[in-house]
Amino acid sequence: MFKHFLTLKLCILCCCLLLSGCATVAATTDNIYQSKTIHSPDGIGKFYQGREIAKVMGHTEALWLERPSREVEEQPQQLIDALNLEPTDVVADIGAGTGYFSFKLAQKLSLGKVFAVDIQPEMLDIIEFLKNENKITNIEPILGSLTNPNLPENSIDLAIMVDAYHELSQPREVMQEVVKALKPKGKVVLVEYRRENPFIAIKKLHKMTQNQAIKEMSTVGLKWVETKSFLPSQHLLIFVKV
């Protein structure tokens, strides 16, 4: 009996070693990303700077982005007011989805414009419909790719990502292109649910800590300026091109 018990323990130990050995595999030759076969069901099994990248919210969940409770839960107007936009600013709303924030931003930019960027054509179709329906002329939908938001170089004063950055499957490449699109001293604003707070009822991978965001932005030449925490559940992290 004791012999069988020892054999069973050895088998379990060997299985664990085998699993741990194959759990992490370098996905690129320069080790920017790592892939793990054992990972969160809410993630894609790809890791960047120690963070697992979350699954993307598809266009089939577009109604969730437009839920009426969002006004109370996220206080979007207060968020936009805190950006201190100039009427002439050009802003890129990256991961624009249905344009929930793009349309609010456009109201502030009477002499400027919004580039509404998304990788899902279905989302851009929604933005185009709403844009025409409401006769909005200062929003330009842009189809991005997994590695490039396809923004003109030196064209934007601000890039904002609301609950979107954590879902980028190629965050380093996308942010490198965003930096190219920024004008000198241009800013990047990340709005993410606060992972520091375990009581915020959002899935773990769809939240980010301030320290993690600062670490990831620094790798592409963005300097942290400040973090605003006036929103109910999210931080507003501000970075500047240096």
Side-chain angles (χ1 to χ4, degrees):
M1 176 73 104
F2 182 66
K3 185 177 178 181
H4 288 159
F5 177 71
L6 282 176
T7 304
L8 180 60
K9 281 188 72 176
L10 283 170
C11 287
I12 292 170
L13 179 61
C14 288
C15 287
C16 289
L17 288 171
L18 283 170
L19 285 172
S20 63
C22 67
T24 304
V25 180
T28 58
T29 54
D30 54 1
N31 292 324
I32 292 174
Y33 303 107
Q34 293 77 43
S35 296
K36 294 185 180 181
T37 53
I38 299 173
H39 61 86
S40 167
D42 299 317
I44 63 173
K46 184 176 180 180
F47 290 72
Y48 177 57
Q49 298 288 315
R51 172 185 64 88
E52 184 174 2
I53 296 167
K55 289 179 180 176
V56 174
M57 174 184 288
H59 65 274
T60 55
E61 299 179 72
L63 287 177
W64 189 82
L65 297 174
E66 297 289 335
R67 66 195 187 282
S69 62
R70 194 170 183 183
E71 292 288 338
V72 175
E73 293 167 357
E74 296 185 6
Q75 298 180 6
Q77 198 55 54
Q78 282 188 250
L79 188 164
I80 289 172
D81 291 343
L83 299 177
N84 298 316
L85 297 169
E86 297 293 334
T88 54
D89 280 346
V90 178
V91 177
D93 180 14
I94 300 173
T98 58
Y100 183 83
F101 275 95
S102 296
F103 288 100
K104 294 178 185 298
L105 289 163
Q107 294 174 9
K108 292 277 188 178
L109 307 174
S110 55
L111 301 174
K113 70 185 301 184
V114 178
F115 291 121
V117 182
D118 207 278
I119 64 170
Q120 300 179 79
E122 296 87 353
M123 291 295 199
L124 297 183
D125 287 343
I126 293 171
I127 292 174
E128 194 65 50
F129 169 78
L130 294 173
K131 174 185 164 183
N132 294 332
E133 186 81 359
N134 295 287
K135 297 180 173 57
I136 306 295
T137 58
N138 61 341
I139 295 179
E140 181 180 336
I142 294 181
L143 181 63
S145 72
L146 293 176
T147 59
N148 196 333
N150 292 325
L151 294 164
E153 274 195 44
N154 195 38
S155 64
I156 61 174
D157 299 286
L158 174 73
I160 184 169
M161 300 186 201
V162 181
D163 302 330
Y165 175 76
H166 63 270
E167 294 181 356
L168 298 180
S169 64
Q170 301 284 132
R172 173 78 68 90
E173 291 81 355
V174 169
M175 293 312 300
Q176 286 173 333
E177 294 301 323
V178 168
V179 170
K180 290 179 188 176
L182 287 173
K183 296 176 184 177
K185 302 299 180 182
K187 293 179 180 178
V188 168
V189 169
L190 299 185
V191 182
E192 292 282 352
Y193 282 96
R194 297 192 291 271
R195 190 163 177 171
E196 294 90 340
N197 186 345
F199 299 107
I200 293 173
I202 295 292
K203 291 179 178 180
K204 187 177 180 180
L205 293 192
H206 290 270
K207 300 191 282 187
M208 280 191 76
T209 66
Q210 172 182 279
N211 288 342
Q212 184 69 31
I214 292 172
K215 179 168 70 170
E216 295 186 25
M217 294 302 105
S218 68
T219 65
V220 296
L222 290 168
K223 180 183 177 182
W224 175 66
V225 177
E226 65 175 318
T227 299
K228 296 178 183 287
S229 301
F230 62 89
L231 297 172
S233 303
Q234 299 151 298
H235 0 235
L236 191 156
L237 301 120
I238 302 171
F239 302 86
V240 66
K241 180 178 180 177
V242 294

